[in-house]
Amino acid sequence: MFRTMTAVAASTLVLFAAAGVAGAQQRVAEQTTRVSDAAGQKAAQVAIDAQSPAQGTIAAPTKPQQDDPGGGGQGRQTLANAAMPDLLLVDAFQLANATIPWGTAATVSAADASSTKQGVCSFRYKYLTANQGGVAAGASANRIHRDTQNGPVLASNPLPALAPGATSVSDGHLSLKPGTWMLYVHADDPQAVAESNETNNLRRVKVTVEGKCG
């Protein structure tokens, strides 16, 4: 009987040992699977991160976005300027028989005046205003001031609406006494037109009237 019990106990121990080995193998397999799954998830996350911008940065656009109002660049400024009118005085200022480039001086004779009266000569003038902007400019007015850019108004002309690239002729008569005068010609003097460049509307010429005006 003792030998029988010993044999049974030995068999039981073998069974327990086999079960323990099988359980250990199963646990190792499960752990290996978990490690493999974690490694796969990490590799996938690394791949996703490689395609995504880092935290706190902005991904670069696939092509330049020069028309992006929130971005920088000369392209945006060019587009913005093209979407506004831009009035300016072009060519030269004509007074009587003299053609006077902007910013220069000339002498005119009282003999070239259209009329004279009580020491004042009336001279015919003409000049051009252009719209070099990308859209039409609304109607406004041009004026000629004497002595300063806000001095006495010698002449005023209505400025019609101008399409892009169009020009308008301003002409008429202005009165000057003999002497030297600074004339300031201002396109869109009332500032009725919002423009991409407001610094090219004002020009001046210096005129000396010689002779007697009646």
Side-chain angles (χ1 to χ4, degrees):
M1 177 180 291
F2 178 76
R3 284 194 299 269
T4 301
M5 293 179 61
T6 301
V8 171
S11 299
T12 302
L13 289 174
V14 170
L15 291 175
F16 279 129
V21 170
Q25 289 177 344
Q26 183 176 358
R27 288 193 297 274
V28 169
E30 291 175 353
Q31 185 175 1
T32 302
T33 301
R34 288 195 297 270
V35 170
S36 178
D37 291 345
Q41 293 175 359
K42 183 175 182 180
Q45 185 63 44
V46 169
I48 293 173
D49 291 343
Q51 298 176 359
S52 302
Q55 185 176 3
T57 63
I58 300 175
T62 57
K63 61 181 180 179
Q65 299 181 0
Q66 294 180 334
D67 56 345
D68 179 7
Q74 187 62 34
R76 190 187 87 249
Q77 297 173 5
T78 301
L79 291 175
N81 290 347
M84 298 183 69
D86 184 16
L87 299 172
L88 74 161
L89 300 168
V90 296
D91 295 340
F93 185 75
Q94 295 183 4
L95 186 66
N97 296 325
T99 298
I100 314 171
W102 298 114
T104 65
T107 297
V108 295
S109 173
D112 294 327
S114 300
S115 63
T116 60
K117 184 178 181 180
Q118 298 179 349
V120 178
C121 289
S122 178
F123 295 100
R124 185 164 186 83
Y125 68 87
K126 184 172 71 173
Y127 61 92
L128 288 176
T129 304
N131 175 17
Q132 67 175 5
V135 298
S140 185
N142 292 355
R143 298 188 182 111
I144 301 176
H145 298 261
R146 193 193 69 200
D147 301 331
T148 69
Q149 59 183 349
N150 296 315
V153 176
L154 298 182
S156 180
N157 296 91
L159 180 65
L162 293 177
T167 60
S168 174
V169 176
S170 297
D171 59 2
H173 290 83
L174 57 81
S175 299
L176 294 172
K177 294 181 178 181
T180 298
W181 310 98
M182 190 71 76
L183 305 181
Y184 290 83
V185 185
H186 201 154
D188 184 28
D189 196 26
Q191 298 183 358
V193 180
E195 305 176 51
S196 60
N197 184 357
E198 298 283 0
T199 65
N200 57 2
N201 292 17
L202 182 65
R203 294 290 184 264
R204 67 180 183 180
V205 293
K206 181 184 285 188
V207 175
T208 298
V209 178
E210 289 186 341
K212 293 182 179 181
C213 298

